[in-house]
Amino acid sequence: MTARHEEIADELRRAIDREEYTVGSRLPSEAELAAHYGVSRGTVRQAVAALTAEGLIGSRQGARRVVLASRRSQSFAELRSFAQWARAMGREATGSVVAQGYQPARAEDAVRLHLPEGTPVLHVLRVRGLDGEPVLLERTVYADWISPAVEAIEPDCASVTQRLYDETGLVFAYGEHVIDAVAAGAQDAELLDIRRTSPLLRVRRVTTTREGRPVEWSDDRYRSDAVSFSVHNSIDNNALARKTAE
Amino acid sequence: MTARHEEIADELRRAIDREEYTVGSRLPSEAELAAHYGVSRGTVRQAVAALTAEGLIGSRQGARRVVLASRRSQSFAELRSFAQWARAMGREATGSVVAQGYQPARAEDAVRLHLPEGTPVLHVLRVRGLDGEPVLLERTVYADWISPAVEAIEPDCASVTQRLYDETGLVFAYGEHVIDAVAAGAQDAELLDIRRTSPLLRVRRVTTTREGRPVEWSDDRYRSDAVSFSVHNSIDNNALARKTAE
DNA sequence: TGACGCAACTTGTTCATACAAGTTCTCCGC
DNA sequence: GCGGAGAACTTGTATGAACAAGTTGCGTCA
């Protein structure tokens, strides 16, 4: 039972995807869409606002909306879960824990997870692969209150996110990602089966629950020949920010 | 003459920034905010929707909104213009053209800029620095209709974006950014004053006008010890997407 | 004391209306 | 044919109302 405006947004997304509206062409006016779907203009506006935020269409006062891109971006579900992402692409995700153990939270951990310094937190080092080939090294720190559930998961579980949801009902709802590049160290090189000093795409992220409570933070290193990230944005909607090294 | 809902969004952003609302705390209800600012609930909703999209606050039906982060993300103006970004941080941007010239559009250029293959397009190689130190190498291709204006700009102009706006009224309104990591090549290393094979953060981007017309596309390589990117997102709002190498 | 259920609260959805502000196109006059 | 004025169209902003759906906390009952 999704909301009407989401149904309409989905229909428009699909129409753009199958090039019913081609890149560069104009969308029908709000009034036309409202009449077509039998809803008020406000509901149509909610639908097109979603597509605008995704960068699929552009909007200017007075002019009809323009289609900017046709490739639909992934759902957040696919972003937050390696396994779901792989499945959506028709590839098989693998994963295995290389090392795991409790350590008292350092200042860094305490800040990111909103915990008192010294709280025992679970560190996990995981290698993840697509169709058998390793592409990602995850160094993750879990908050104390979720650590027991994580510890109980078998080392080669393909989808930790899914498992945590099934076991505890935990949903990852918000994330902040900081992206830069690093050279592969000795451990990185060995586990990812690449040469030392190869460039890696590093994503440091913090994930939180719907209530805003931090669950985990992670240093993810991707083989740059296998994975990249993309961001759509606009003059009103800027999820991406550039930062200098501190 | 900004809209009321934007004023309110700004006030809330500032309040969060100066920790009047701390991370993890709850925002007043829509009804309270509406009464406080003397506007309708709809207007308040527009304001908080903006903050939600930025990832500053989290929202769940039935519960009060929660502050997720305090650091405000940059404006799109700062993202699209290296010089404006530098100025906002109190640093000085420099820039110099290393090479420049017309070449017939390759298939790649034609697709990204929506031009016929073979159209003469302007290629520019620029080094950009912060406080004198080189941090970014830009290899940009400009669409034919803007190339003359770009060509007329002096080689050491600090803000090309600003200059193009002043001269032609051109506004960069939408962008798509694809981010990965690459090893510095010989030319990269020399111009950025780093060793060969050092990891670089590569951003390939296409920028378009408000009408949705592509203006330029660029391969930007950042010194990874100097610059990183960050993305806020949420279960409803996912600007960031992970992609495999094709 | 602990568990349950309900009431109060809060955000989500939708509608209808009105006006402001920007764009586009037509048509008229030169 | 060209340029400009203006009408028609389109999106942006704002209000007010009503109901749906989810959360929280209080209070009661066992």
Side-chain angles (χ1 to χ4, degrees):
Chain A
M1 271 318 89
T2 55
R4 192 81 183 94
H5 69 84
E6 285 196 10
E7 286 177 14
I8 294 172
D10 262 354
E11 285 203 39
L12 290 174
R13 261 188 286 259
R14 277 196 296 271
I16 291 172
D17 226 32
R18 64 171 178 267
E19 308 211 325
E20 207 160 299
Y21 303 118
T22 59
V23 173
S25 69
R26 290 170 178 182
L27 240 52
S29 73
E30 294 178 359
E32 285 167 350
L33 289 172
H36 182 288
Y37 290 110
V39 297
S40 75
R41 205 184 132 211
T43 303
V44 168
R45 283 182 66 77
Q46 283 184 74
V48 294
L51 303 211
T52 305
E54 290 164 25
L56 246 61
I57 62 179
S59 209
R60 306 141 63 204
Q61 184 173 142
R64 264 151 113 116
R65 273 171 257 259
V66 181
V67 179
L68 292 173
S70 64
R71 198 176 56 266
R72 191 176 78 263
S73 68
Q74 308 168 289
S75 72
F76 189 74
E78 289 168 25
L79 177 61
R80 71 182 189 240
S81 166
F82 185 82
Q84 282 187 49
W85 170 61
R87 184 164 359 114
M89 292 187 310
R91 304 249 239 151
E92 203 200 351
T94 57
S96 66
V97 170
V98 176
Q100 172 171 321
Y102 282 93
Q103 287 176 32
R106 296 157 297 177
E108 187 182 27
D109 303 328
V111 168
R112 293 191 220 241
L113 296 177
H114 288 185
L115 294 174
E117 208 165 323
T119 310
V121 289
L122 184 61
H123 287 240
V124 179
L125 173 60
R126 256 191 224 99
V127 178
R128 320 212 58 172
L130 285 178
D131 296 335
E133 198 178 7
V135 298
L136 163 61
L137 206 58
E138 275 182 357
R139 292 185 176 88
T140 310
V141 181
Y142 293 93
D144 57 341
W145 54 272
I146 195 68
S147 294
V150 176
E151 219 180 353
I153 298 174
E154 74 271 13
D156 64 342
C157 177
S159 180
V160 175
T161 306
Q162 184 63 42
R163 180 61 64 90
L164 285 177
Y165 175 71
D166 294 341
E167 302 285 328
T168 68
L170 182 74
V171 174
F172 295 91
Y174 306 106
E176 192 195 345
H177 300 73
V178 177
I179 302 171
D180 62 2
V182 293
Q187 189 181 38
D188 300 336
E190 190 190 331
L191 292 170
L192 287 177
D193 193 22
I194 52 177
R195 280 205 306 281
R196 227 174 58 80
T197 75
S198 290
L200 295 176
L201 187 62
R202 175 169 68 171
V203 180
R204 282 171 293 183
R205 60 187 166 84
V206 180
T207 317
T208 69
T209 65
R210 285 184 295 193
E211 293 85 20
R213 186 148 67 138
V215 181
E216 55 164 15
W217 84 267
S218 188
D219 177 309
D220 297 349
R221 297 178 184 203
Y222 291 88
R223 280 180 53 167
S224 60
D225 57 348
V227 179
S228 61
F229 287 83
S230 80
V231 184
H232 273 292
N233 54 11
S234 75
I235 205 161
D236 325 291
N237 188 296
N238 56 305
L240 184 65
R242 183 166 39 194
K243 313 200 308 179
T244 47
E246 84 293 344
Chain B
M1 266 312 95
T2 55
R4 192 81 183 92
H5 70 84
E6 285 196 11
E7 287 177 17
I8 294 171
D10 264 353
E11 284 203 41
L12 290 173
R13 262 187 285 259
R14 277 195 297 272
I16 291 171
D17 227 32
R18 62 170 180 269
E19 308 212 325
E20 205 161 298
Y21 303 117
T22 58
V23 173
S25 69
R26 290 169 179 183
L27 240 52
S29 72
E30 294 178 0
E32 285 168 350
L33 290 172
H36 181 288
Y37 291 110
V39 297
S40 74
R41 205 185 133 210
T43 303
V44 167
R45 283 181 66 79
Q46 283 185 74
V48 294
L51 303 210
T52 305
E54 290 164 25
L56 247 64
I57 63 179
S59 209
R60 306 141 62 204
Q61 183 173 141
R64 263 151 109 123
R65 272 170 258 260
V66 181
V67 179
L68 293 173
S70 64
R71 196 175 58 264
R72 190 177 81 262
S73 68
Q74 310 168 289
S75 72
F76 188 74
E78 289 167 26
L79 176 61
R80 72 183 189 241
S81 166
F82 186 83
Q84 282 188 49
W85 170 61
R87 185 165 359 114
M89 293 186 311
R91 304 249 240 149
E92 202 199 350
T94 56
S96 64
V97 170
V98 176
Q100 172 170 320
Y102 283 92
Q103 288 175 33
R106 295 158 297 177
E108 187 182 29
D109 302 329
V111 168
R112 294 192 221 240
L113 296 177
H114 287 186
L115 294 175
E117 209 165 320
T119 309
V121 289
L122 184 62
H123 287 240
V124 178
L125 172 61
R126 255 191 223 98
V127 179
R128 319 211 58 169
L130 285 178
D131 297 336
E133 199 178 5
V135 298
L136 163 60
L137 206 58
E138 273 181 357
R139 291 184 177 90
T140 310
V141 181
Y142 293 92
D144 57 341
W145 53 273
I146 195 70
S147 294
V150 176
E151 218 181 353
I153 298 173
E154 72 272 13
D156 64 341
C157 177
S159 180
V160 175
T161 306
Q162 184 64 43
R163 178 62 64 90
L164 284 178
Y165 175 71
D166 293 341
E167 302 286 328
T168 68
L170 183 74
V171 174
F172 295 91
Y174 306 106
E176 193 196 342
H177 301 71
V178 176
I179 303 172
D180 63 1
V182 293
Q187 188 182 39
D188 299 337
E190 189 191 332
L191 291 170
L192 288 176
D193 194 22
I194 53 178
R195 280 204 306 280
R196 226 172 59 80
T197 75
S198 291
L200 295 176
L201 187 62
R202 175 169 68 170
V203 180
R204 281 171 294 182
R205 59 187 167 83
V206 179
T207 318
T208 69
T209 64
R210 284 183 297 192
E211 292 85 19
R213 186 146 71 137
V215 181
E216 53 163 17
W217 84 268
S218 189
D219 177 310
D220 296 349
R221 298 178 181 202
Y222 292 88
R223 281 182 52 168
S224 60
D225 56 348
V227 178
S228 61
F229 287 83
S230 78
V231 184
H232 274 291
N233 53 12
S234 76
I235 205 161
D236 319 297
N237 188 296
N238 56 305
L240 183 65
R242 183 167 39 193
K243 312 201 306 178
T244 46
E246 84 295 341

